[in-house]
Amino acid sequence: MSLINKMLQDLDARGGSGDGSLRQQQLHAVGGQSAGRGKFVLGGAVLGLGVLVAAGAYGWQHWRAVSSGSASAAMVGTVPQVKAAPVPVATPAAVVTPEALLASAPAPAPAAAAPALAAAPAAAMAAAPQAPAAAPAPRSAVRAELASSDVTPRAERKAARLAAARSNEETAEAGTITHNLSPKLMAENTYRRGLVALQEGRINAALTDLERALEIDPRNEAARQTYISLLLENKRNDDAVRQLRLALGLDPRQPGLAMILARLQLEKGGPALQTLLTTLPYVGNNAEYHAFLAGVLQREQRHGEAAQHYRDALQLAPHNGVWWMGLGISLQADQHLGEAREAFRRARGATGLSAELVAFIDRKIESLSR
């Protein structure tokens, strides 16, 4: 109202000064009738101007009030009342990889206030202050949020199984040893690495890997046989004997390893006969094993047992001249001279004998024929 009063006072001041000036000019320019008409016109102009100013002031106040009320009503009616969503409390989850959680996590639902914001008038949206764009969350924060998200137990177990299977496959392909692998698979991987080193000529590395494979899985027969063979080639007979005894101690049903150990023990004066007799129940139809055992028994002057094992071997391989000769020697030692002479004759008729053996057999036949 002070602004309106000031405007009215200014108008009154202008009107008063203009009225005096006009009367002075009219008094000098025209007569009395003209002066009275001028006063009437001037008074009407002042009155009209006052009415116009008052109407303008009233209209301006009314428009301002209406505009403020409309804007307030529009803001109240269109701006949605968004309630803060409750923050989920992180529950202990199974230890899974972020990649598995990303694969199993459901797609995020749209915000509840999105439809209301989309329905707001363009003017209200333009008048609202623009919020600064949110900076992208760091990857560690995203992983932490994913780790604390509400994943169903079934999805967690499935993700854990897939991650474990993928890790095992990658580890097996790379040929490395981890705690996720079974001892048998770990030993097999180490054994194969030793074979690669052997093919590349790295003997020491191959021996190390093969020994490590047997420490992990002592029942890996392929690794054991390869390791023993490599030890024998490198003249490490004592280490080979130790490995052979360990292998037969775990499983005596290995005639081939028993024969190798017995041969090494014969060179060192070890219990070769005991080694062969321990594995004998598991020999089956192994002619070479029976013949070898017969030779060891013959060496121990146990000719009756030696003759029996020679006969067992010859039933499986009747054309072996050396075994017939061995049978003849044991039979002659046990004073079975006729059988011994027949055994030597069978040996003489076989092929594949050296000249020295042929000469020895001929002397035996001659002495038994007298």
Side-chain angles (χ1 to χ4, degrees), residues 115-348:
L117 292 175
M125 294 298 295
Q130 299 294 330
R139 184 174 299 176
S140 59
V142 174
R143 291 183 176 178
E145 182 179 358
L146 288 174
S148 62
S149 62
D150 186 13
V151 183
T152 61
R154 181 179 298 176
E156 289 179 350
R157 291 194 297 269
K158 183 178 180 181
R161 287 196 302 268
L162 291 175
R166 188 181 303 112
S167 177
N168 288 343
E169 291 175 358
E170 293 174 355
T171 304
E173 292 176 358
T176 58
I177 300 177
T178 66
H179 295 291
N180 293 331
L181 300 178
S182 65
K184 185 174 182 180
L185 185 56
M186 293 168 62
E188 185 67 19
N189 289 341
T190 310
Y191 163 61
R192 293 182 182 278
R193 190 168 60 235
L195 291 181
V196 173
L198 183 60
Q199 292 176 354
E200 294 176 353
R202 297 183 289 114
I203 305 301
N204 292 333
L207 288 170
T208 301
D209 287 333
L210 292 172
E211 184 178 10
R212 175 58 180 161
L214 292 173
E215 291 176 356
I216 299 172
D217 182 13
R219 296 185 179 275
N220 191 320
E221 296 182 4
R224 179 83 64 186
Q225 293 177 8
T226 306
Y227 187 42
I228 293 172
S229 176
L230 197 57
L231 289 174
L232 293 174
E233 290 180 2
N234 287 270
K235 309 300 182 182
R236 294 173 55 177
N237 293 349
D238 292 339
D239 293 334
V241 168
R242 185 179 70 254
Q243 290 297 325
L244 288 165
R245 293 181 64 182
L246 288 173
L248 293 173
L250 291 172
D251 185 7
R253 297 171 297 181
Q254 304 183 73
L257 297 185
M259 292 173 65
I260 296 174
L261 177 58
R263 193 178 299 277
L264 293 173
Q265 289 172 335
L266 286 174
E267 295 176 357
K268 297 289 185 177
L273 181 58
Q274 183 61 39
T275 298
L276 294 173
L277 291 176
T278 302
T279 308
L280 180 60
Y282 314 105
V283 170
N285 295 328
N286 190 329
E288 292 182 357
Y289 193 94
H290 284 286
F292 185 71
L293 176 57
V296 175
L297 288 168
Q298 192 178 76
R299 184 184 181 117
E300 297 291 329
Q301 303 298 317
R302 297 168 63 171
H303 292 290
E305 298 174 69
Q308 183 57 49
H309 283 287
Y310 274 127
R311 289 190 179 99
D312 293 338
L314 289 168
Q315 287 181 357
L316 298 171
H319 302 291
N320 192 306
V322 176
W323 296 349
W324 280 112
M325 183 184 67
L327 176 59
I329 293 173
S330 291
L331 289 172
Q332 183 182 10
D334 272 356
Q335 300 302 315
H336 299 287
L337 301 182
E339 296 179 5
R341 185 171 58 249
E342 182 62 24
F344 282 122
R345 288 177 179 176
R346 296 288 299 269
R348 185 66 176 81

Side-chain angles (χ1 to χ4, degrees), residues 65-77:
V66 171
S67 299
S68 300
S70 300
S72 299
M75 294 296 290
V76 173

